[in-house]
Amino acid sequence: MKKFMKIAALVLIAAIFIGTFVFLYQKSQPEEVSYQILKAETKDLVQTTVATGKIEPRDEVEIKPQISGIIAEVYKEAGQTVQEGEVIAKVKVIPELGTLNSAESRVRLAEMNGKQAETDLERMEKLYEGKLVSNEEYEQTLLAAKQAREELQAAKDNLEIVKEGITKSSASFSSTLIRSTITGLILDVPIKVGNSVIMSNTFNDGTTIATVADMSDLIFRGNVDETEVGRIREGIPVKITLGALQNMKFDATLEYISPKSTENNGANQFEIKAAISVPDSVTIRSGYSANAEMVLQHAEGALTIPESALEFSNDSTFVYVLTDSVPVQKFERRQVVTGISNGIDTEVKQGLKAGEAVRGLKIEK
C-alpha cells in the first residue's frame, strides 16, 4: 500500500511538472498577429474643410426714436411683418422743464410783439389812406406785421413740439410715431408700454424700439482657420448644414473673406460670409447655428488607401505591403509619396499600384 502511494505521488508531481513546463513554453511562444488587409483603389478624392458659424439676415436694422419720452402704444410684436414707413410704436413726450419754460416765454414775447405790430399796421393804414405816408413806409410796416405773425406761429408750433412732440400742421411727419425704415420681419420688440426711451446722441446709442430684418436675403457668417484660408476663394460653392434642420443641405456661394484675422482660443481665424439659397417652402430663423463645407482640393481618379494604413516617420511616409498570407501574414515596408486626404482616404502618388494589398489595423482576438 505504501509503495502504491509513493508511485501515485511521483506520478502527480511529474504531471504537475510537465503541465507547468508546457504552460510556460506556450506562454513564451510569440502570439500570431493578424491585420486587416486593405487594397489600393482608384477613386475621386475631395478634401474639404468645415467652418462653424450661424445664419443671419444680410440687412438687420435697429429702429430707434428721434425723440425721448415714454412708450404710449406698441402696435407690432416680434414675428410680424412690417412695411417701410409702417408705425411700430408711439412715444409720449415728457418735456424738460427748462425747455418748456423757454418755449412758453417765447410765445408770450411773440404775442406782445405781434400786438404791437398789428397796432402799428392799423395806424399806418389810416395814414396811407390819407396819403400822409409813402408807399415804402407802408410796405415796411406791413412786412413787420407779417414777420410778427410768422414768429408767433413758429413760437406756438415750438411749444406744441416741446409738449407733444408734434404740431397739428405736421401730424403725418410726427417723430412721436416710430416707423420702420425697411420692409421685413420684426425679430424683436424689447420695449413695453410705459418704458422710458431716449433718442441717440453723442453719448448714447439710444433705445432700440424694434429690430427688423429682411429674411428673404440670408447669409452664413463663420470663421476659417489660417491654415486653410489660403486654399479658398470668393465665388466657390458652399454646402450649408443647419443644426436645427440636420437632414437638409442648402447651396451657398462664398462672397467674402476677411483681410484681417481675429484670435479665437489662441488660433488665428478669418471671418467668411456666404449667400444662401433657401427654397420658399423652408423657414429659417435668424441665429440658427450652421456648418459650411467648402472644397479645398480634389483629385479625379486618384490611387487611394485608407489613412489608417499609413505610418509616419519623421518627414517620410510608409506602408506595409502584403507579400504572403500563408501560413502567416508577411509584409514589406515600403516608402510612398502621398497627396491630398479627406480624413478617411489618402491619395498615394508614388510607391504603390492599384490592387496591391497593404496592412491595416491589428485584429483583436
Side-chain angles (χ1 to χ4, degrees), residues 252-277:
T253 303
L254 187 64
E255 61 180 22
Y256 172 78
I257 304 173
S258 174
K260 182 179 179 181
S261 68
T262 57
E263 188 171 338
N264 186 7
N265 295 326
N268 288 333
Q269 296 187 324
F270 291 80
E271 183 183 59
I272 63 170
K273 297 178 186 177
I276 309 173
S277 299

PDB file of all heavy atoms in Angstrom, residues 252-277:
ATOM      1  N   ALA A 252     -24.901  77.512 -51.192  1.00  0.00           N
ATOM      2  CA  ALA A 252     -24.485  78.884 -50.902  1.00  0.00           C
ATOM      3  C   ALA A 252     -23.258  79.210 -51.740  1.00  0.00           C
ATOM      4  O   ALA A 252     -22.625  78.318 -52.326  1.00  0.00           O
ATOM      5  CB  ALA A 252     -24.189  79.064 -49.419  1.00  0.00           C
ATOM      6  N   THR A 253     -22.933  80.486 -51.804  1.00  0.00           N
ATOM      7  CA  THR A 253     -21.761  80.953 -52.546  1.00  0.00           C
ATOM      8  C   THR A 253     -20.920  81.836 -51.643  1.00  0.00           C
ATOM      9  O   THR A 253     -21.436  82.788 -51.054  1.00  0.00           O
ATOM     10  CB  THR A 253     -22.176  81.751 -53.794  1.00  0.00           C
ATOM     11  OG1 THR A 253     -23.011  80.937 -54.618  1.00  0.00           O
ATOM     12  CG2 THR A 253     -20.952  82.184 -54.584  1.00  0.00           C
ATOM     13  N   LEU A 254     -19.646  81.502 -51.524  1.00  0.00           N
ATOM     14  CA  LEU A 254     -18.746  82.300 -50.689  1.00  0.00           C
ATOM     15  C   LEU A 254     -18.560  83.671 -51.340  1.00  0.00           C
ATOM     16  O   LEU A 254     -18.145  83.759 -52.497  1.00  0.00           O
ATOM     17  CB  LEU A 254     -17.402  81.596 -50.536  1.00  0.00           C
ATOM     18  CG  LEU A 254     -16.416  82.226 -49.548  1.00  0.00           C
ATOM     19  CD1 LEU A 254     -16.974  82.173 -48.134  1.00  0.00           C
ATOM     20  CD2 LEU A 254     -15.066  81.526 -49.608  1.00  0.00           C
ATOM     21  N   GLU A 255     -18.873  84.734 -50.587  1.00  0.00           N
ATOM     22  CA  GLU A 255     -18.780  86.065 -51.170  1.00  0.00           C
ATOM     23  C   GLU A 255     -17.847  87.007 -50.408  1.00  0.00           C
ATOM     24  O   GLU A 255     -17.601  88.116 -50.870  1.00  0.00           O
ATOM     25  CB  GLU A 255     -20.173  86.690 -51.254  1.00  0.00           C
ATOM     26  CG  GLU A 255     -20.869  86.881 -49.924  1.00  0.00           C
ATOM     27  CD  GLU A 255     -22.241  87.506 -50.074  1.00  0.00           C
ATOM     28  OE1 GLU A 255     -22.816  87.413 -51.176  1.00  0.00           O
ATOM     29  OE2 GLU A 255     -22.734  88.100 -49.093  1.00  0.00           O
ATOM     30  N   TYR A 256     -17.327  86.576 -49.270  1.00  0.00           N
ATOM     31  CA  TYR A 256     -16.453  87.484 -48.513  1.00  0.00           C
ATOM     32  C   TYR A 256     -15.474  86.682 -47.668  1.00  0.00           C
ATOM     33  O   TYR A 256     -15.856  85.708 -47.012  1.00  0.00           O
ATOM     34  CB  TYR A 256     -17.289  88.382 -47.604  1.00  0.00           C
ATOM     35  CG  TYR A 256     -16.481  89.234 -46.641  1.00  0.00           C
ATOM     36  CD1 TYR A 256     -15.844  90.400 -47.068  1.00  0.00           C
ATOM     37  CD2 TYR A 256     -16.348  88.865 -45.316  1.00  0.00           C
ATOM     38  CE1 TYR A 256     -15.102  91.168 -46.188  1.00  0.00           C
ATOM     39  CE2 TYR A 256     -15.612  89.638 -44.425  1.00  0.00           C
ATOM     40  CZ  TYR A 256     -14.989  90.787 -44.859  1.00  0.00           C
ATOM     41  OH  TYR A 256     -14.244  91.546 -43.970  1.00  0.00           O
ATOM     42  N   ILE A 257     -14.204  87.089 -47.711  1.00  0.00           N
ATOM     43  CA  ILE A 257     -13.165  86.557 -46.827  1.00  0.00           C
ATOM     44  C   ILE A 257     -12.473  87.753 -46.201  1.00  0.00           C
ATOM     45  O   ILE A 257     -11.948  88.617 -46.908  1.00  0.00           O
ATOM     46  CB  ILE A 257     -12.135  85.703 -47.595  1.00  0.00           C
ATOM     47  CG1 ILE A 257     -12.834  84.571 -48.348  1.00  0.00           C
ATOM     48  CG2 ILE A 257     -11.095  85.149 -46.641  1.00  0.00           C
ATOM     49  CD1 ILE A 257     -11.909  83.789 -49.260  1.00  0.00           C
ATOM     50  N   SER A 258     -12.480  87.812 -44.882  1.00  0.00           N
ATOM     51  CA  SER A 258     -11.915  88.968 -44.194  1.00  0.00           C
ATOM     52  C   SER A 258     -10.417  89.092 -44.476  1.00  0.00           C
ATOM     53  O   SER A 258      -9.690  88.093 -44.457  1.00  0.00           O
ATOM     54  CB  SER A 258     -12.148  88.850 -42.684  1.00  0.00           C
ATOM     55  OG  SER A 258     -11.493  89.897 -41.997  1.00  0.00           O
ATOM     56  N   PRO A 259      -9.939  90.310 -44.737  1.00  0.00           N
ATOM     57  CA  PRO A 259      -8.498  90.500 -44.952  1.00  0.00           C
ATOM     58  C   PRO A 259      -7.705  90.513 -43.652  1.00  0.00           C
ATOM     59  O   PRO A 259      -6.484  90.515 -43.675  1.00  0.00           O
ATOM     60  CB  PRO A 259      -8.442  91.878 -45.638  1.00  0.00           C
ATOM     61  CG  PRO A 259      -9.648  92.593 -45.121  1.00  0.00           C
ATOM     62  CD  PRO A 259     -10.710  91.547 -44.951  1.00  0.00           C
ATOM     63  N   LYS A 260      -8.400  90.499 -42.523  1.00  0.00           N
ATOM     64  CA  LYS A 260      -7.715  90.575 -41.221  1.00  0.00           C
ATOM     65  C   LYS A 260      -8.201  89.444 -40.328  1.00  0.00           C
ATOM     66  O   LYS A 260      -9.393  89.137 -40.268  1.00  0.00           O
ATOM     67  CB  LYS A 260      -8.007  91.924 -40.556  1.00  0.00           C
ATOM     68  CG  LYS A 260      -7.308  92.123 -39.216  1.00  0.00           C
ATOM     69  CD  LYS A 260      -7.621  93.487 -38.635  1.00  0.00           C
ATOM     70  CE  LYS A 260      -6.935  93.678 -37.292  1.00  0.00           C
ATOM     71  NZ  LYS A 260      -7.244  94.998 -36.696  1.00  0.00           N
ATOM     72  N   SER A 261      -7.276  88.830 -39.595  1.00  0.00           N
ATOM     73  CA  SER A 261      -7.623  87.714 -38.724  1.00  0.00           C
ATOM     74  C   SER A 261      -8.064  88.205 -37.344  1.00  0.00           C
ATOM     75  O   SER A 261      -7.773  89.335 -36.942  1.00  0.00           O
ATOM     76  CB  SER A 261      -6.429  86.769 -38.560  1.00  0.00           C
ATOM     77  OG  SER A 261      -5.394  87.416 -37.812  1.00  0.00           O
ATOM     78  N   THR A 262      -8.761  87.336 -36.660  1.00  0.00           N
ATOM     79  CA  THR A 262      -9.120  87.568 -35.260  1.00  0.00           C
ATOM     80  C   THR A 262      -8.663  86.352 -34.465  1.00  0.00           C
ATOM     81  O   THR A 262      -8.700  85.222 -34.958  1.00  0.00           O
ATOM     82  CB  THR A 262     -10.634  87.757 -35.088  1.00  0.00           C
ATOM     83  OG1 THR A 262     -11.319  86.609 -35.603  1.00  0.00           O
ATOM     84  CG2 THR A 262     -11.107  89.003 -35.815  1.00  0.00           C
ATOM     85  N   GLU A 263      -8.254  86.581 -33.228  1.00  0.00           N
ATOM     86  CA  GLU A 263      -7.776  85.476 -32.394  1.00  0.00           C
ATOM     87  C   GLU A 263      -8.940  84.850 -31.658  1.00  0.00           C
ATOM     88  O   GLU A 263      -9.722  85.543 -31.004  1.00  0.00           O
ATOM     89  CB  GLU A 263      -6.730  85.978 -31.398  1.00  0.00           C
ATOM     90  CG  GLU A 263      -6.050  84.853 -30.623  1.00  0.00           C
ATOM     91  CD  GLU A 263      -4.876  85.333 -29.800  1.00  0.00           C
ATOM     92  OE1 GLU A 263      -4.320  86.411 -30.118  1.00  0.00           O
ATOM     93  OE2 GLU A 263      -4.517  84.633 -28.833  1.00  0.00           O
ATOM     94  N   ASN A 264      -9.040  83.523 -31.766  1.00  0.00           N
ATOM     95  CA  ASN A 264     -10.125  82.781 -31.124  1.00  0.00           C
ATOM     96  C   ASN A 264      -9.539  81.555 -30.450  1.00  0.00           C
ATOM     97  O   ASN A 264      -9.099  80.628 -31.104  1.00  0.00           O
ATOM     98  CB  ASN A 264     -11.187  82.388 -32.155  1.00  0.00           C
ATOM     99  CG  ASN A 264     -12.398  81.755 -31.520  1.00  0.00           C
ATOM    100  OD1 ASN A 264     -12.532  81.714 -30.304  1.00  0.00           O
ATOM    101  ND2 ASN A 264     -13.288  81.247 -32.353  1.00  0.00           N
ATOM    102  N   ASN A 265      -9.524  81.564 -29.108  1.00  0.00           N
ATOM    103  CA  ASN A 265      -8.951  80.461 -28.316  1.00  0.00           C
ATOM    104  C   ASN A 265      -7.512  80.162 -28.726  1.00  0.00           C
ATOM    105  O   ASN A 265      -7.101  79.000 -28.832  1.00  0.00           O
ATOM    106  CB  ASN A 265      -9.810  79.201 -28.473  1.00  0.00           C
ATOM    107  CG  ASN A 265     -11.201  79.365 -27.893  1.00  0.00           C
ATOM    108  OD1 ASN A 265     -11.381  80.061 -26.889  1.00  0.00           O
ATOM    109  ND2 ASN A 265     -12.183  78.744 -28.507  1.00  0.00           N
ATOM    110  N   GLY A 266      -6.753  81.230 -28.950  1.00  0.00           N
ATOM    111  CA  GLY A 266      -5.340  81.078 -29.277  1.00  0.00           C
ATOM    112  C   GLY A 266      -5.043  80.813 -30.737  1.00  0.00           C
ATOM    113  O   GLY A 266      -3.877  80.719 -31.124  1.00  0.00           O
ATOM    114  N   ALA A 267      -6.065  80.669 -31.580  1.00  0.00           N
ATOM    115  CA  ALA A 267      -5.863  80.401 -33.012  1.00  0.00           C
ATOM    116  C   ALA A 267      -6.294  81.610 -33.831  1.00  0.00           C
ATOM    117  O   ALA A 267      -7.283  82.271 -33.504  1.00  0.00           O
ATOM    118  CB  ALA A 267      -6.654  79.170 -33.444  1.00  0.00           C
ATOM    119  N   ASN A 268      -5.555  81.877 -34.889  1.00  0.00           N
ATOM    120  CA  ASN A 268      -5.914  82.971 -35.795  1.00  0.00           C
ATOM    121  C   ASN A 268      -6.945  82.482 -36.801  1.00  0.00           C
ATOM    122  O   ASN A 268      -6.715  81.496 -37.510  1.00  0.00           O
ATOM    123  CB  ASN A 268      -4.674  83.487 -36.537  1.00  0.00           C
ATOM    124  CG  ASN A 268      -3.756  84.270 -35.626  1.00  0.00           C
ATOM    125  OD1 ASN A 268      -4.201  84.848 -34.633  1.00  0.00           O
ATOM    126  ND2 ASN A 268      -2.476  84.284 -35.936  1.00  0.00           N
ATOM    127  N   GLN A 269      -8.074  83.163 -36.866  1.00  0.00           N
ATOM    128  CA  GLN A 269      -9.144  82.783 -37.766  1.00  0.00           C
ATOM    129  C   GLN A 269      -9.602  83.975 -38.586  1.00  0.00           C
ATOM    130  O   GLN A 269      -9.458  85.122 -38.162  1.00  0.00           O
ATOM    131  CB  GLN A 269     -10.323  82.191 -36.985  1.00  0.00           C
ATOM    132  CG  GLN A 269      -9.988  80.885 -36.262  1.00  0.00           C
ATOM    133  CD  GLN A 269     -11.206  80.242 -35.659  1.00  0.00           C
ATOM    134  OE1 GLN A 269     -12.111  80.914 -35.172  1.00  0.00           O
ATOM    135  NE2 GLN A 269     -11.245  78.915 -35.676  1.00  0.00           N
ATOM    136  N   PHE A 270     -10.173  83.677 -39.753  1.00  0.00           N
ATOM    137  CA  PHE A 270     -10.638  84.712 -40.672  1.00  0.00           C
ATOM    138  C   PHE A 270     -12.143  84.566 -40.862  1.00  0.00           C
ATOM    139  O   PHE A 270     -12.637  83.464 -41.101  1.00  0.00           O
ATOM    140  CB  PHE A 270      -9.921  84.608 -42.018  1.00  0.00           C
ATOM    141  CG  PHE A 270      -8.464  84.971 -41.963  1.00  0.00           C
ATOM    142  CD1 PHE A 270      -7.520  84.065 -41.514  1.00  0.00           C
ATOM    143  CD2 PHE A 270      -8.035  86.239 -42.347  1.00  0.00           C
ATOM    144  CE1 PHE A 270      -6.182  84.392 -41.453  1.00  0.00           C
ATOM    145  CE2 PHE A 270      -6.701  86.583 -42.292  1.00  0.00           C
ATOM    146  CZ  PHE A 270      -5.770  85.666 -41.839  1.00  0.00           C
ATOM    147  N   GLU A 271     -12.845  85.687 -40.776  1.00  0.00           N
ATOM    148  CA  GLU A 271     -14.293  85.663 -40.945  1.00  0.00           C
ATOM    149  C   GLU A 271     -14.643  85.481 -42.419  1.00  0.00           C
ATOM    150  O   GLU A 271     -14.000  86.051 -43.295  1.00  0.00           O
ATOM    151  CB  GLU A 271     -14.906  86.962 -40.438  1.00  0.00           C
ATOM    152  CG  GLU A 271     -16.429  86.984 -40.524  1.00  0.00           C
ATOM    153  CD  GLU A 271     -17.031  88.306 -40.093  1.00  0.00           C
ATOM    154  OE1 GLU A 271     -16.677  89.345 -40.719  1.00  0.00           O
ATOM    155  OE2 GLU A 271     -17.829  88.315 -39.153  1.00  0.00           O
ATOM    156  N   ILE A 272     -15.669  84.676 -42.671  1.00  0.00           N
ATOM    157  CA  ILE A 272     -16.171  84.492 -44.029  1.00  0.00           C
ATOM    158  C   ILE A 272     -17.679  84.716 -44.035  1.00  0.00           C
ATOM    159  O   ILE A 272     -18.349  84.593 -43.006  1.00  0.00           O
ATOM    160  CB  ILE A 272     -15.852  83.085 -44.580  1.00  0.00           C
ATOM    161  CG1 ILE A 272     -16.553  82.008 -43.735  1.00  0.00           C
ATOM    162  CG2 ILE A 272     -14.361  82.846 -44.659  1.00  0.00           C
ATOM    163  CD1 ILE A 272     -16.486  80.627 -44.340  1.00  0.00           C
ATOM    164  N   LYS A 273     -18.214  85.049 -45.227  1.00  0.00           N
ATOM    165  CA  LYS A 273     -19.658  85.197 -45.405  1.00  0.00           C
ATOM    166  C   LYS A 273     -20.043  84.496 -46.703  1.00  0.00           C
ATOM    167  O   LYS A 273     -19.319  84.570 -47.689  1.00  0.00           O
ATOM    168  CB  LYS A 273     -20.060  86.681 -45.486  1.00  0.00           C
ATOM    169  CG  LYS A 273     -19.781  87.481 -44.224  1.00  0.00           C
ATOM    170  CD  LYS A 273     -20.157  88.940 -44.420  1.00  0.00           C
ATOM    171  CE  LYS A 273     -19.750  89.793 -43.238  1.00  0.00           C
ATOM    172  NZ  LYS A 273     -20.048  91.231 -43.456  1.00  0.00           N
ATOM    173  N   ALA A 274     -21.188  83.829 -46.660  1.00  0.00           N
ATOM    174  CA  ALA A 274     -21.688  83.130 -47.850  1.00  0.00           C
ATOM    175  C   ALA A 274     -23.175  83.403 -48.001  1.00  0.00           C
ATOM    176  O   ALA A 274     -23.928  83.339 -47.025  1.00  0.00           O
ATOM    177  CB  ALA A 274     -21.436  81.631 -47.738  1.00  0.00           C
ATOM    178  N   ALA A 275     -23.592  83.723 -49.228  1.00  0.00           N
ATOM    179  CA  ALA A 275     -25.001  83.978 -49.518  1.00  0.00           C
ATOM    180  C   ALA A 275     -25.716  82.654 -49.719  1.00  0.00           C
ATOM    181  O   ALA A 275     -25.272  81.809 -50.496  1.00  0.00           O
ATOM    182  CB  ALA A 275     -25.127  84.845 -50.768  1.00  0.00           C
ATOM    183  N   ILE A 276     -26.853  82.463 -49.023  1.00  0.00           N
ATOM    184  CA  ILE A 276     -27.565  81.186 -49.028  1.00  0.00           C
ATOM    185  C   ILE A 276     -28.781  81.245 -49.949  1.00  0.00           C
ATOM    186  O   ILE A 276     -29.492  82.251 -49.981  1.00  0.00           O
ATOM    187  CB  ILE A 276     -28.038  80.818 -47.607  1.00  0.00           C
ATOM    188  CG1 ILE A 276     -26.873  80.919 -46.621  1.00  0.00           C
ATOM    189  CG2 ILE A 276     -28.624  79.426 -47.564  1.00  0.00           C
ATOM    190  CD1 ILE A 276     -27.286  80.736 -45.204  1.00  0.00           C
ATOM    191  N   SER A 277     -29.009  80.145 -50.651  1.00  0.00           N
ATOM    192  CA  SER A 277     -30.232  79.992 -51.447  1.00  0.00           C
ATOM    193  C   SER A 277     -31.200  79.122 -50.654  1.00  0.00           C
ATOM    194  O   SER A 277     -30.909  77.952 -50.390  1.00  0.00           O
ATOM    195  CB  SER A 277     -29.920  79.326 -52.791  1.00  0.00           C
ATOM    196  OG  SER A 277     -29.017  80.121 -53.546  1.00  0.00           O
TER     197      SER A 277
END
